[in-house]
Amino acid sequence: MNWLDLLALGPHVFLVFGATSLLLLGAWCSKTRVILLSGIFVSLLSALLSGIAPPVDGDIAGLFSAGGYARFFTIFWFLTAAITLMISVRFSIELNLNAGEYVALVLFAALGMALLSSAIHLLGLFLGLEALTLAFYVLIASNRRSELSAEAGLKYLLLGAVATGFLAFGIGLVYTASGSLHLPEAFQGLQAEDGHLRAWGLLGWGLLLTAVGFKISLVPFHLWTADVYQGTPSPVAAFLSTGAKGAVVAGFIGLVISSGSAWKDLSDLLWVVAALTMIFGALGGLPQNNLKRLLAYSSIAHMGTVLVGILCQTPTGFSATIFYIVVYVIANLGTFGVIASFSRAGEEPEDLDQWRGLGYRNPLRCTVLTLLLLSLAGLPATAGFIGKFAIFHAAIQSGLVSLAIIGIISSLIAFAYYLKVVIVMFSPESQADRPSPGEPLEFGVLAACTTAVILLGLFPGPLFDLISKILP
Amino acid sequence: MSDHLLSLMTFFPLVGMLIVLFLPREADRLIKSVTLIFTIIVFLISLPLAFDDVFLTSSAMHYTEFAEWISIGQYFQMNYNIGIDGISLWLVLLTTFIMPVTVLSTWHAVDKNTKGFMALLLLLETGMLGAFISLDLFLFYIFWELMLIPMYFLIGIWGGKNRIYAAIKFFIFTAVGSLLMLVAIIYVYYYSLQAGVAFENGFSAAHFAQLSIPVEAQMWLFAAFAFSFAIKVPMFPVHTWLPDAHTEAPTAGSVILAAILLKMGTYGYVRFAIPLFPVATMNYTPLLATLAVIGIIYGALVAMMQDDVKKLVAYSSVSHLGFVMLGVFAMNLQGLSGGMLQMINHGISTGALFLIVGFIYERRHTRLIVDFGGLSKVMPVFATIFMIVTFSSIGLPGTNGFVGEFLILVGAFESGLRWYTVLATTGVVLAAVYMLWMFQRVMMGKVTNPANANLKDLSAREVVVMLPLILFIFWIGVYPNTFFEKMNPSLENLISQVKGKQQIAILAEQQLDHSVTQVSVSE
């Protein structure tokens, strides 16, 4: 590692430094709000730093890229962490959490996401993913008053450990076959048809995909999702469903782009996985009466669509996928933000019955939720529609017509459950208990997410231009 | 100003919506007044279109506006590309005309959460107008879906007992169709790029119509478009959402649904499905004409058996729209112009019928025919208006319905759909049966139910709501030329284009047959 590497890692180092100081500060300072606000400040500043840092040639210690793609996602995940902290303020005050720990964990997770998205080495990938997952093991169980939260934490821990095993073993096999862990070479070694180790390499790829499948909950590795989402406090669930999944996808896209055609043999398998994920995500959400479980199935369906975009294996497909991820993250952050803003002392309105008639008493937040859900559903004039349109357009262009039709049909099925929530909110019969009035920081987050969803729906051009510039 | 007349007209309701959203929730009367004023202003903005003589001679698009809207690298481009011609002219005016009438009709009918209701009505108006003036298929799709959402909420929140079921059914049916259409749109777009249509043209329907898409592909694409539009029309057998939606929707929702949203389907055929895929149109004509005739007769028979007035009117829509479809697929000037006129007629007379049902429902909170009887003695003004509208719906000479149905039947008969026409004519008879029978049971005879004895006649507001509709019932009935002369140039142009392409396809096929026979002979 040299001076230039350190310069490129500057924002990350700053983030870690900030997170550690806040962790220590938490031991003396009992003012939760102050620590959280400083956490928000640290992550925003790191995002700014990586935005204004001069471009660096080459990579960081051969592990992480310092290119535009990596930088884009570094900024994006740091912002996501800041938003997560903004919607966590009331939650951590009301539950009297140890703020230092909480902030540090969120920031460490963000660091993991940023590293994962910029990995160009299989070890870098592993490091990033583990940094992210370890933080989440604790974050998910952070509501110690709730049994469900403990259960969710345990479930995530066990499955996360299994996935780590698959990942490590898969990386080992790829190394055996190709003799390299650095990204283009690690997979280019597999392209030679005559190599007798190619089978092992493909097996390694398969195991790696299994680990990815666990993390972004592709069918058949999706079974944990609904339970974990239900038990996780909504600020953490917001982070889990956006950053944790999005970063894995971002890292995976990097992997796929650099590996070229090495995994062609697996694409039929992935075709089936994508189709099943979209269908299960759509059908599984239908009977749900718990908003968070419903959002879990929604995220499963979204990841299926993302896989369609990756399967296109064209620049069109990749940029559509990145756009889709960005929009998905924004809409999901906002959606969980609305839930968090209604929650009181860790008690969240989860059952759809608790939402009945809320639209009349809190019209503003419910309208925001409606817009965000419509974007998740992919209805026109929202960003979600452009994202879906771009992905299915790319799919039709690269000959995946039947997959696009399956995707369109399943997003149609999913409409039913998104709209169910909206109808329930605006039903005249209302429930007795009063949810929290929310606070300015939360409203700020909601306003930002809603604006972004509408603006990106009407003018998606600039973001697409940016994405096509940074695509590695 | 006339440069941006269409944009102004389309987006002005959105301004109204924003203003309504910022009004205090309790100011019920104020919200309704503001909405009414905005819809009237939109009508006034659109009024110059009706007097513009350019439509008399020219079949081209007028008042066009073009701006690059979404351009994403080298992947795809969508344009804000709008315009109006003789085909969309009267539908746009129908929309801007029906909206104030609808708002006025809800004066007492909606009292809970008026703000949301009025805001959605205004959003709906933007969606409908936008769909009628879009020349870019992508833009059309966006407006098409934009109409869906407010209507879904209007039914789902302000509807009757089974509103959620009806709303979801309405949504699922329409969304299935529109998503299939989306796939077809993307496919055509992709094809057009390969065929050399410039990237800057985006999803321009006019450019798509210039393509000669292979017949095989046309059949699939037309099927996707036709299915989507058939659901909206609705044609038999995908009409089942309509009675549910109408029964549960509030009066204003029913009026807009019947008067305008259903026209979106038939308009879609005329504007997009037929000119884009002329050869497929020719091949599918027997199928669609059969479905249209089944719709005419089936709708009428089912309407006859209804005991709920609103359901009766809903099924009569299925029958009437069957006529429109028959006229459109006759593909000659009489049929097509009859079909276009009948769209307007149906909007006026069925809209009026739903208003009438709303009037009696507001008074008695029931719509069952058996609960009424002898109303003409208690409510003479109402009886007169109801009778006129009934005659218009049946198609009595002198009213608008006659002109439309007559032209459709003549057109279809001349175009070779002879037997279909014969069968369809029974629909006219059946319409007289179910409408008159209903009228007799509700209005004639003695007042049997004491609850009806003291019903109030129509108020001044209600008469004001109905008068413009009545005016047009007679205007179109007596002098339909006002309307025909402005739509005919566009329709003639459409017919000649479509027929031309169909001729080429037929000739090509004959030549192919010919060469095949030659080859077999030489062997």
Side-chain angles (χ1 to χ4, degrees), chain B residues 269-285:
Chain B
Y269 278 103
V270 179
R271 170 69 78 217
F272 298 112
I274 293 176
L276 255 51
F277 316 113
V279 184
T281 305
M282 184 174 67
N283 296 344
Y284 275 111
T285 298

Side-chain angles (χ1 to χ4, degrees), chain A residues 32-45:
Chain A
T32 313
R33 184 177 288 267
V34 173
I35 297 179
L36 270 136
L37 288 180
S38 355
I40 297 167
F41 180 69
V42 166
S43 49
L44 287 180
L45 202 61

